[in-house]
Amino acid sequence: MSSYQQSIKSQNKKQILQLIIDHAPISRSAIAKQLGMAKGTVSSLSTELIGSEIIYEYGPGSSSGGRRPLMLLFNEKAGYSIGIDVGVNYIMGILTNLRGEKIAEQKQTISVHDFDYMLPLIIQSIQKLIDASPPSPYGIIGVGVGVPGIVNHQGSILFAPNLGWEQVDLQEELENAFDVPVTIENEANAGAYGEKKHNSSSHLSDNLVYVSAGIGIGAGVIINGEIYRGEKGYSGEFGHMMIDMNGRKCSCGSVGCWEMYASEKALLLEAEKVLDSAEGLSLESLIDQAEINPKVTSLFTEIGDCLGSGISSILNVFNPQKVVIGNRLALAEPLLSEPVKAAIDRHTLNFHKEQAEILFSSLTPYSTSLGASHFVTERFIATNF
Ligand SMILES: [Zn+2]
C-alpha cells in the first residue's frame, strides 16, 4: 500500500471511530451512508477497530421482524485517563473512562506550595488513581494536569505566581515517574474545555469564557469552538487585568490586578481584617458564617461586585454566548450570584449583555480535572487509531 493510500485509510478509520464515539449505537450501513464511504471499506475498517478493542459490536442479530443489523459501540472502558487539577490550596485528581465518566477521585488540601513539596503529593495522587483503575486493554493512557500559571506550547510551566513556581518542568518529572504521556495545561483553559465537553448546557456554546475563580483568577476563552491560546500559549491571565492603577500589590509584581479584589484570596484577606483573626478562616467557614454574620455577607457582596465588574469587561471584549464562573468561588453561588449580576448589569454595554448568559458551573469542583483528562483522551484517540 502506498503512503497516500495508507493516509486515506487512516483518515477513513478516524472518521468512522469519531462517528461511533458521537453517535453510537450505529450500524455499519448507517456509517457508510453518513460518511459516503463504500460498505466494504466501513466493514473492513470497523473489523480492524474491533480488533483494537476500541469499539465493539452488539445486537440481537435476527428477530421475528427480519434481520436487525449489528450495532457498533465505542468501548469507553478500553483505557483510563487521569486528570489533575493543581490548585493553590488543593490537589484534585480524577480517573475517567474514555467518555470522561468519573471512576475515582483523590482530593488533598494543601498549604505549602514549594514544587519539591508538591511534586511527591501529585505523584502520590496519580499513583492512587492508577491503583483504582480497572483492568483494560490500554490501561492508563496518560495524565493531564491543569496548573494555575503560564504554560508554553511545550508544556513547561514558566510562571505560576500564586504557587511561587518559575520554570518548572512538571511534564518531564511525571513522564519519568509513570512512563505515560503527560499533558500540562493552564487550569482555566482545561476548565473551559471541561465545561465545553462535559456540561450538557455548554456543549453547544462555541463562544464561551470560563472564569476560574479560586485563590487567583484565570479565564479560559473558547472562540469558534477552539481554545484561544495566544501566540505562545500564554493567553487567559485575566486575573492580572489591572482594575486599579494605584491598587493593591499583586504576586505577579504589578498592582491593582483583578484577582486582588475578586478572588478567594481577596475574600480571605478582607475577612481577616473584618473578623480580626485569620484563625480557621476558609471559604467554607465564611460561607457558613455568612448566614449569621452580616459583616461576612457583605464581604461576599463586595467580592461578587468586583467579580461581576471584571466579567463585564470580558463581555464587552469577547461578546461570548456564555460566561461560566467556576472553581472554588462557585461554591458560594447563593451569596455571589446577585451582586455579580448587578455589577454586570451596571457595567456592560447594552448590546453585549442582551444575550449573554452568566452562570455558575454545575461541574464544580471538577471542571479543570475533567478538561485535563479530556485533552489526554483526545490525544490518545488521535495518535493511536
Ligand atoms: Zn497580578
Side-chain angles (χ1 to χ4, degrees), residues 205-356:
S205 306
D206 279 338
N207 294 295
L208 175 152
V209 179
Y210 172 76
V211 176
S212 169
I215 290 290
I217 298 181
V221 180
I222 292 182
I223 298 176
N224 300 329
E226 305 271 336
I227 288 185
Y228 178 75
R229 288 194 164 83
E231 175 69 16
K232 295 204 161 148
Y234 307 165
S235 79
E237 292 295 331
F238 277 91
H240 304 287
M241 166 170 72
M242 189 193 281
I243 62 168
D244 181 354
M245 289 204 319
N246 305 305
R248 300 172 188 162
K249 219 169 161 347
C250 178
S251 61
C252 73
S254 182
V255 296
C257 296
W258 186 29
E259 70 177 36
M260 295 311 295
Y261 302 86
S263 64
E264 184 182 0
K265 171 166 60 185
L267 176 77
L268 294 172
L269 287 173
E270 291 306 293
E272 217 177 298
K273 287 185 214 158
V274 171
L275 301 172
D276 278 330
S277 160
E279 187 121 6
L281 265 190
S282 69
L283 174 62
E284 286 82 354
S285 74
L286 288 169
I287 292 173
D288 287 344
Q289 281 186 58
E291 278 182 32
I292 44 168
N293 187 344
K295 277 187 189 167
V296 177
T297 319
S298 56
L299 278 182
F300 280 100
T301 307
E302 231 172 86
I303 295 287
D305 186 36
C306 295
L307 191 58
S309 304
I311 290 174
S312 73
S313 298
I314 291 178
L315 290 170
N316 288 339
V317 172
F318 288 103
N319 179 220
Q321 182 185 0
K322 195 171 280 191
V323 174
V324 181
I325 303 166
N327 202 344
R328 298 261 305 151
L329 280 189
L331 298 173
E333 175 181 357
L335 293 158
L336 294 173
S337 178
E338 281 312 310
V340 164
K341 285 181 178 150
I344 289 173
D345 203 49
R346 265 199 319 277
H347 302 297
T348 311
L349 294 165
N350 279 332
F351 282 109
H352 292 67
K353 69 185 174 201
E354 259 170 24
Q355 288 170 347

Side-chain angles (χ1 to χ4, degrees), residues 114-131:
D114 297 335
F115 184 67
D116 293 341
Y117 173 80
M118 279 182 85
L119 180 63
L121 296 181
I122 296 169
I123 288 179
Q124 212 177 66
S125 185
I126 295 171
Q127 188 57 54
K128 284 186 182 160
L129 293 166
I130 291 175
D131 295 342

Side-chain angles (χ1 to χ4, degrees), residues 179-197:
D179 200 25
V180 294
V182 173
T183 310
I184 311 287
E185 268 290 341
N186 171 275
E187 60 89 26
N189 282 348
Y193 214 55
E195 290 293 329
K196 165 90 180 137
K197 295 292 173 182

Side-chain angles (χ1 to χ4, degrees), residues 12 14-17 19 30-38 42:
N12 286 344
K14 279 188 201 313
Q15 276 189 305
I16 293 171
L17 178 56
L19 196 69
I31 294 173
K33 204 168 162 189
Q34 284 207 33
L35 296 178
M37 276 179 208
V42 173

